[in-house]
């Protein structure tokens, strides 16, 4: 069981209070109408499935209902940090298209 920190409520709670929402900080293509259908499909559906450190989006579904970002190791479930969406976009380096 994971103990997840909600940066909005500033509380550590059990995993069952949260909902996993997938990979975080995925950059939308700058000009979607200029990319191919395959590239658009990749943006919509293709996600990383790394072994090790990963940036994920979660929702505090039984609390404040806000989304936030955590950095978690997918091997041993160590959670390194937790950010609001705004903090994450400033502090975590992510890919851009």
């Amino acid at each position: 069981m994971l103990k997840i920190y909600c940066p909005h409520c500033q509380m550590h709670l059990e995993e069952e209070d949260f909902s996993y929402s997938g990979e975080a900080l995925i950059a939308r293509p700058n000009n979607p109408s200029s990319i191919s259908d395959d590239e658009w499909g990749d943006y919509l559906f293709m996600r990383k499935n790394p072994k090790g450190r990963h940036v994920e989006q979660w929702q505090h579904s039984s609390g404040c209902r806000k989304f936030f970002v955590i950095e978690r190791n997918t091997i041993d479930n160590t959670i390194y940090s937790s950010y609001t969406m705004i903090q994450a976009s400033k502090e975590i380096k992510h890919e851009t298209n």
Side-chain angles (χ1 to χ4, degrees):
M1 176 76 59
L2 296 175
K3 281 281 209 178
I4 299 175
Y5 178 75
C6 176
H8 300 286
C9 298
Q10 299 181 351
M11 294 173 29
H12 285 91
L13 299 165
E14 299 290 337
E15 177 182 1
E16 61 195 18
D17 291 327
F18 300 92
S19 298
Y20 176 76
S21 299
E23 185 177 340
L25 305 177
I26 299 168
R28 183 181 172 94
N30 292 329
N31 189 359
S33 61
S34 69
I35 64 174
S36 71
D37 289 343
D38 287 340
E39 291 171 315
W40 184 248
D42 286 348
Y43 162 72
L44 290 176
F45 304 112
M46 300 304 289
R47 297 294 179 255
K48 297 174 186 166
N49 187 15
K51 183 176 183 179
R53 200 170 188 136
H54 187 49
V55 179
E56 304 170 331
Q57 183 172 288
W58 287 73
Q59 182 187 24
H60 190 179
S61 51
S62 68
C64 65
R65 304 198 53 80
K66 293 182 180 178
F67 287 90
F68 61 96
V69 173
I70 65 171
E71 287 184 277
R72 180 177 69 89
N73 187 316
T74 59
I75 298 170
D76 61 9
N77 285 327
T78 301
I79 296 176
Y80 301 107
S81 56
S82 180
Y83 302 96
T84 64
M85 298 301 279
I86 292 171
Q87 289 171 330
S89 65
K90 293 177 183 176
E91 296 188 31
I92 299 174
K93 186 175 183 131
H94 57 281
E95 295 178 16
T96 56
N97 290 335

